[in-house]
Amino acid sequence: GELRLALMRADSGRRYFFRPVAARHRDFVQTALLCIRLHDCVFPERGIYFLELWYDDEWIVDQRLEVI
């Protein structure tokens, strides 16, 4: 599948997508661990953001971040 991370501003809903990451695993039944490193990630401005995980163009989960 294809994984993507997106940074979404909570107030406007604007999304900043990161490059896609190809995900391959051997066993579709077992849980797989995944680590994605973000280099040079700059937040456009202060505020509340959500870091979202997308898999094959479907939203999976998000994490709230507050940039002060």
Side-chain angles (χ1 to χ4, degrees):
E2 184 180 87
L3 292 168
R4 292 190 87 180
L5 291 178
L7 192 61
M8 183 185 76
R9 286 196 48 90
D11 59 352
S12 68
R14 180 169 182 185
R15 282 189 179 89
Y16 305 91
F17 277 98
F18 293 86
R19 66 176 174 77
V21 176
R24 294 178 186 90
H25 48 86
R26 295 181 190 143
D27 189 347
F28 293 104
V29 177
Q30 290 189 353
T31 302
L33 295 176
L34 173 71
C35 178
I36 299 174
R37 293 180 186 211
L38 300 178
H39 298 280
D40 301 325
C41 179
V42 178
F43 290 88
E45 57 187 299
R46 295 179 183 188
I48 306 295
Y49 293 85
F50 289 97
L51 184 61
E52 302 175 326
L53 175 65
W54 292 74
Y55 182 75
D56 284 344
D57 293 326
E58 290 189 38
W59 173 84
I60 303 296
V61 69
D62 61 39
Q63 175 64 49
R64 181 183 183 272
L65 301 171
E66 184 173 355
V67 178
I68 347 182

